[in-house]
Amino acid sequence: MLTLPTYDDVIAAAARLKGHAHRTPVLRSATADAMLGAQLFFKCENLQRMGAFKFRGAFNALSKFSDEQRRAGVITFSSGNHAQAIALSARVLGMPAVVLMPNDAPQPKVDATLGYGAQVIRFDRYTQDREALTRELAQQRGMTLIPPYDHPDVMAGQGTAAKELFEEVGELDMLLVPLGGGGLLSGTALATRVLSLRCKLYGVEPEAGDDGRQSLRRGQIVHIDTPRTIADGAQTQHLGHHTFAVIRRDVDDVLTASDDQLVAAMRFFAERMKLVVEPTGCLGFAAAMHAAIELEGLRVGVLISGGNVDLARFAELIG
Ligand SMILES: *Cc1c(COP(=O)(O)O)cnc(C)c1O
């Protein structure tokens, strides 16, 4: 039996995050509204600490550790934003952190994680099973493993962004949320089903890797090969058991966006809204811009999930 988080856990997470996470702004764009014939509300988690919503889930999970767990510290596997979120949260809470990263992880991400004070252990992703390796190390060192999405405390923490959004702008007709392993979408669902019951809630994943959509259609978790896409935060191969249970129950559907559509959204954010958004963070708006769904006259929330993109890469993509 899975223990699924509820909206009460999101409320508790928001209390733990108070004073530690930013209450990120909700931006409007008259140009976007005119272009789509809708009222759009952009929740800007690219402006969150360490540059993505993942600080919320990581900090919430680590805040719940017992004294004994804090002494031994936290361990995780990630080459992306979760690594930095765990490293920063551990530093703020004063505990050791170990992050397993593949040998070929981009150097800026390794440096950022080291910069927040975590120990980085490299592994060969072609010959070693990272989850098994992490579990083994966790046991050896007595550290607690906090995975990137399939964990009730991570999900509840991620749900605090949507809680803030609804508290600020009131009920919405629709909300578009980037989807990887489903921590953000499932947490968002917990908040949405209490604060704006009739809001249509959609996950948006890369066209090249639509395992989330397939999973919803089939009623079971579908596994795929690592998709080739510029949305590196959503290159997951499958949803989690906890995240899928909530998504299946509370999410209306899953849409997709192509890499070209993500680039168009990135360019819009930079040019019109002066925002640096990473490709994965553009998934929600890309689906809206390309009329993956009817928006006319609606109040639509768009969750911008993160802004961590190497500037040379950013220039190359939008240039
Ligand atoms: C991790 C991440 C996602 C996907 O979140 P999940 O909880 O895995 O679905 C989306 N956008 C950004 C920027 C991320 O770092």
Side-chain angles (χ1 to χ4, degrees):
M1 268 303 285
L2 295 176
T3 307
L4 298 180
T6 67
Y7 183 59
D8 284 342
D9 297 305
V10 179
I11 295 174
R16 290 185 196 102
L17 286 167
K18 204 171 162 70
H20 295 288
H22 296 314
R23 193 180 177 97
T24 53
V26 178
L27 298 186
R28 306 290 316 271
S29 160
T31 310
D33 286 2
M35 197 168 77
L36 300 179
Q39 277 178 275
L40 294 154
F41 301 87
F42 297 95
K43 176 67 170 167
C44 294
E45 286 295 301
N46 55 319
L47 304 176
Q48 185 52 263
R49 287 186 79 173
M50 54 65 50
F53 71 91
K54 285 213 173 63
F55 180 72
R56 296 173 182 271
F59 189 88
N60 183 49
L62 269 54
S63 296
K64 291 184 70 181
F65 278 20
S66 67
D67 288 345
E68 196 185 328
Q69 284 178 302
R70 280 181 196 232
R71 271 193 297 276
V74 59
I75 185 166
T76 195
F77 50 84
S78 167
S79 50
N81 288 329
H82 180 65
Q84 292 169 61
I86 287 287
L88 176 59
S89 300
R91 194 183 68 183
V92 171
L93 293 166
M95 68 175 89
V98 170
V99 179
L100 275 82
M101 288 186 153
N103 288 330
D104 58 354
Q107 199 55 40
K109 300 209 165 179
V110 178
D111 290 343
T113 306
L114 288 169
Y116 289 128
Q119 183 192 353
V120 172
I121 295 181
R122 314 300 290 266
F123 67 96
D124 179 3
R125 70 158 123 192
Y126 300 102
T127 60
Q128 292 177 293
D129 174 351
R130 66 174 193 169
E131 296 190 29
L133 198 63
T134 312
R135 260 185 233 105
E136 202 178 296
L137 278 168
Q139 204 166 31
Q140 273 170 22
R141 303 186 180 198
M143 299 182 111
T144 304
L145 169 59
I146 298 295
Y149 50 85
D150 200 20
H151 189 292
D153 299 335
V154 172
M155 294 157 67
Q158 317 306 29
T160 59
K163 176 177 182 289
E164 289 173 7
L165 172 64
F166 288 119
E167 284 170 356
E168 186 160 335
V169 308
E171 297 208 29
L172 295 169
D173 299 310
M174 185 186 295
L175 179 54
L176 299 164
V177 180
L179 171 60
L184 180 62
L185 181 59
S186 58
T188 299
L190 300 176
T192 305
R193 291 301 163 240
V194 171
L195 299 175
S196 189
L197 189 59
R198 277 178 299 279
C199 176
K200 291 277 185 200
L201 176 58
Y202 295 102
V204 185
E205 62 188 350
E207 196 173 82
D210 70 339
D211 61 291
R213 180 160 67 177
Q214 290 185 46
S215 299
L216 263 197
R217 302 277 143 90
R218 284 201 218 157
Q220 63 185 55
I221 299 171
V222 171
H223 290 242
I224 58 168
D225 290 336
T226 301
R228 282 180 181 276
T229 167
I230 58 171
D232 56 347
Q235 276 181 314
T236 37
Q237 292 174 275
H238 55 85
L239 299 176
H241 295 289
H242 299 80
T243 58
F244 178 62
V246 171
I247 288 169
R248 191 179 181 187
R249 184 188 69 196
D250 290 342
V251 171
D252 289 284
D253 205 354
V254 173
L255 312 171
T256 62
S258 70
D259 281 1
D260 285 347
Q261 293 167 348
L262 292 177
V263 169
M266 259 174 108
R267 192 176 285 126
F268 182 92
F269 283 135
E271 201 166 70
R272 299 293 181 153
M273 297 178 72
K274 317 306 164 196
L275 291 175
V276 174
V277 183
E278 63 183 277
T280 316
C282 294
L283 281 162
F285 189 51
M289 265 173 96
H290 291 87
I293 195 113
E294 183 58 56
L295 302 175
E296 187 76 33
L298 301 184
R299 286 165 52 83
V300 180
V302 174
L303 209 149
I304 299 177
S305 54
N308 291 329
V309 51
D310 180 67
L311 272 190
R313 174 82 175 131
F314 183 76
E316 183 192 320
L317 283 171
I318 68 171

Short mmCIF file of all heavy atoms in Angstrom, two decimals, residues 51-54 80-82 148-149 158 178-185 233-234 236 278 280-281 283 305-307, ligand 1:
data_model
loop_
_atom_site.label_atom_id
_atom_site.label_comp_id
_atom_site.label_asym_id
_atom_site.label_seq_id
_atom_site.Cartn_x
_atom_site.Cartn_y
_atom_site.Cartn_z
N GLY A 51 17.19 28.25 -8.74
CA GLY A 51 16.72 28.32 -10.11
C GLY A 51 15.63 27.36 -10.54
O GLY A 51 15.34 27.26 -11.73
N ALA A 52 14.99 26.67 -9.60
CA ALA A 52 13.90 25.78 -9.99
C ALA A 52 13.04 25.42 -8.77
O ALA A 52 13.49 25.54 -7.63
CB ALA A 52 14.44 24.51 -10.64
N PHE A 53 11.82 24.97 -9.04
CA PHE A 53 10.89 24.58 -7.96
C PHE A 53 11.45 23.48 -7.08
O PHE A 53 10.95 23.25 -5.97
CB PHE A 53 9.56 24.09 -8.56
CG PHE A 53 9.69 22.76 -9.24
CD1 PHE A 53 9.47 21.58 -8.54
CD2 PHE A 53 10.09 22.67 -10.56
CE1 PHE A 53 9.64 20.35 -9.15
CE2 PHE A 53 10.28 21.44 -11.18
CZ PHE A 53 10.05 20.28 -10.48
N LYS A 54 12.46 22.73 -7.54
CA LYS A 54 12.91 21.55 -6.81
C LYS A 54 13.42 21.84 -5.40
O LYS A 54 13.46 20.95 -4.56
CB LYS A 54 13.96 20.79 -7.62
CG LYS A 54 13.32 20.01 -8.77
CD LYS A 54 14.07 18.74 -9.05
CE LYS A 54 13.36 17.88 -10.07
NZ LYS A 54 13.25 18.55 -11.40
N GLY A 80 20.70 16.76 -12.42
CA GLY A 80 20.00 18.00 -12.74
C GLY A 80 19.66 18.83 -11.52
O GLY A 80 20.43 18.89 -10.56
N ASN A 81 18.51 19.49 -11.58
CA ASN A 81 18.14 20.45 -10.56
C ASN A 81 17.94 19.84 -9.18
O ASN A 81 18.12 20.51 -8.17
CB ASN A 81 16.88 21.20 -10.99
CG ASN A 81 17.17 22.16 -12.13
OD1 ASN A 81 18.26 22.71 -12.21
ND2 ASN A 81 16.20 22.38 -13.01
N HIS A 82 17.56 18.57 -9.12
CA HIS A 82 17.36 17.93 -7.82
C HIS A 82 18.68 17.86 -7.04
O HIS A 82 18.69 18.01 -5.82
CB HIS A 82 16.76 16.54 -8.00
CG HIS A 82 16.52 15.80 -6.71
ND1 HIS A 82 15.61 16.21 -5.75
CD2 HIS A 82 17.07 14.66 -6.21
CE1 HIS A 82 15.62 15.36 -4.74
NE2 HIS A 82 16.50 14.41 -4.98
N PRO A 148 14.34 12.03 -6.59
CA PRO A 148 13.92 13.30 -7.20
C PRO A 148 12.40 13.53 -7.26
O PRO A 148 11.98 14.67 -7.30
CB PRO A 148 14.48 13.24 -8.62
CG PRO A 148 15.31 12.01 -8.72
CD PRO A 148 15.06 11.16 -7.53
N TYR A 149 11.61 12.49 -7.31
CA TYR A 149 10.15 12.75 -7.41
C TYR A 149 9.25 11.76 -6.69
O TYR A 149 8.22 12.14 -6.16
CB TYR A 149 9.72 12.86 -8.89
CG TYR A 149 10.17 11.73 -9.78
CD1 TYR A 149 9.44 10.57 -9.88
CD2 TYR A 149 11.33 11.85 -10.55
CE1 TYR A 149 9.86 9.53 -10.71
CE2 TYR A 149 11.75 10.82 -11.38
CZ TYR A 149 11.02 9.66 -11.46
OH TYR A 149 11.43 8.66 -12.28
N GLN A 158 6.58 20.23 -3.60
CA GLN A 158 6.39 20.80 -4.95
C GLN A 158 5.01 21.44 -5.08
O GLN A 158 4.82 22.39 -5.83
CB GLN A 158 6.56 19.74 -6.06
CG GLN A 158 7.72 18.75 -5.96
CD GLN A 158 9.11 19.30 -5.79
OE1 GLN A 158 9.28 20.37 -5.22
NE2 GLN A 158 10.10 18.57 -6.25
N PRO A 178 4.80 21.45 -16.42
CA PRO A 178 5.79 20.53 -16.98
C PRO A 178 5.78 19.18 -16.26
O PRO A 178 5.59 19.12 -15.04
CB PRO A 178 7.13 21.25 -16.74
CG PRO A 178 6.76 22.70 -16.69
CD PRO A 178 5.42 22.72 -16.01
N LEU A 179 6.00 18.11 -17.02
CA LEU A 179 5.95 16.76 -16.45
C LEU A 179 7.19 15.96 -16.79
O LEU A 179 7.53 15.78 -17.96
CB LEU A 179 4.70 16.03 -16.98
CG LEU A 179 4.59 14.53 -16.67
CD1 LEU A 179 4.56 14.27 -15.17
CD2 LEU A 179 3.34 13.95 -17.33
N GLY A 180 7.90 15.51 -15.73
CA GLY A 180 9.01 14.56 -15.89
C GLY A 180 8.61 13.28 -15.18
O GLY A 180 7.85 12.47 -15.68
N GLY A 181 9.08 13.13 -13.93
CA GLY A 181 8.70 11.97 -13.13
C GLY A 181 7.40 12.18 -12.37
O GLY A 181 6.86 11.25 -11.78
N GLY A 182 6.91 13.42 -12.39
CA GLY A 182 5.58 13.69 -11.86
C GLY A 182 5.50 14.25 -10.45
O GLY A 182 4.41 14.40 -9.90
N GLY A 183 6.64 14.61 -9.85
CA GLY A 183 6.60 15.21 -8.52
C GLY A 183 5.89 16.55 -8.54
O GLY A 183 5.02 16.83 -7.69
N LEU A 184 6.22 17.38 -9.51
CA LEU A 184 5.62 18.70 -9.61
C LEU A 184 4.13 18.60 -9.95
O LEU A 184 3.29 19.25 -9.33
CB LEU A 184 6.34 19.53 -10.68
CG LEU A 184 5.81 20.94 -10.88
CD1 LEU A 184 5.95 21.79 -9.62
CD2 LEU A 184 6.52 21.63 -12.05
N LEU A 185 3.80 17.75 -10.92
CA LEU A 185 2.40 17.64 -11.35
C LEU A 185 1.53 17.04 -10.24
O LEU A 185 0.41 17.52 -10.00
CB LEU A 185 2.31 16.79 -12.63
CG LEU A 185 0.91 16.61 -13.21
CD1 LEU A 185 0.26 17.94 -13.56
CD2 LEU A 185 0.94 15.70 -14.44
N GLY A 233 15.28 18.30 -18.09
CA GLY A 233 14.64 18.07 -16.78
C GLY A 233 13.47 17.10 -16.87
O GLY A 233 12.90 16.70 -15.85
N ALA A 234 13.10 16.73 -18.09
CA ALA A 234 11.95 15.82 -18.27
C ALA A 234 12.35 14.60 -19.09
O ALA A 234 11.53 14.00 -19.77
CB ALA A 234 10.79 16.57 -18.92
N THR A 236 12.87 11.72 -18.20
CA THR A 236 12.62 10.56 -17.35
C THR A 236 12.08 9.41 -18.17
O THR A 236 11.46 9.61 -19.21
CB THR A 236 11.61 10.93 -16.25
OG1 THR A 236 10.64 11.80 -16.83
CG2 THR A 236 12.28 11.66 -15.11
N GLU A 278 14.71 27.65 -18.78
CA GLU A 278 15.36 26.48 -19.40
C GLU A 278 14.33 25.74 -20.25
O GLU A 278 13.11 25.91 -20.05
CB GLU A 278 15.97 25.58 -18.33
CG GLU A 278 15.00 24.96 -17.34
CD GLU A 278 15.72 24.14 -16.28
OE1 GLU A 278 16.04 22.97 -16.55
OE2 GLU A 278 15.98 24.67 -15.18
N THR A 280 13.02 22.79 -20.34
CA THR A 280 11.98 22.04 -19.62
C THR A 280 10.95 22.98 -19.01
O THR A 280 9.75 22.66 -18.96
CB THR A 280 12.60 21.18 -18.51
OG1 THR A 280 13.76 20.53 -19.03
CG2 THR A 280 11.62 20.15 -18.00
N GLY A 281 11.41 24.14 -18.58
CA GLY A 281 10.51 25.11 -17.96
C GLY A 281 9.50 25.70 -18.92
O GLY A 281 8.52 26.32 -18.51
N LEU A 283 7.72 23.94 -21.14
CA LEU A 283 6.74 22.95 -21.63
C LEU A 283 5.30 23.46 -21.56
O LEU A 283 4.54 23.32 -22.53
CB LEU A 283 6.88 21.65 -20.83
CG LEU A 283 8.05 20.74 -21.25
CD1 LEU A 283 8.37 19.71 -20.15
CD2 LEU A 283 7.73 20.02 -22.57
N SER A 305 8.85 26.13 -14.68
CA SER A 305 9.42 25.30 -13.60
C SER A 305 10.88 25.60 -13.27
O SER A 305 11.33 25.30 -12.17
CB SER A 305 9.27 23.82 -13.96
OG SER A 305 9.81 23.56 -15.23
N GLY A 306 11.66 26.17 -14.22
CA GLY A 306 13.06 26.42 -13.89
C GLY A 306 13.79 27.25 -14.94
O GLY A 306 13.30 27.43 -16.06
N GLY A 307 14.94 27.77 -14.54
CA GLY A 307 15.70 28.65 -15.44
C GLY A 307 17.17 28.29 -15.55
O GLY A 307 17.98 29.13 -15.95
C1 LIG B 1 12.65 18.21 -12.47
C2 LIG B 1 12.11 19.25 -13.36
C3 LIG B 1 10.87 19.09 -14.03
C4 LIG B 1 10.05 17.83 -13.93
O1 LIG B 1 9.60 17.62 -12.60
P1 LIG B 1 9.06 16.22 -12.13
O2 LIG B 1 8.71 16.42 -10.71
O3 LIG B 1 10.16 15.22 -12.34
O4 LIG B 1 7.88 15.89 -12.99
C5 LIG B 1 10.40 20.14 -14.80
N1 LIG B 1 11.11 21.28 -14.95
C6 LIG B 1 12.29 21.48 -14.34
C7 LIG B 1 13.00 22.75 -14.55
C8 LIG B 1 12.84 20.47 -13.52
O5 LIG B 1 14.02 20.67 -12.91
#
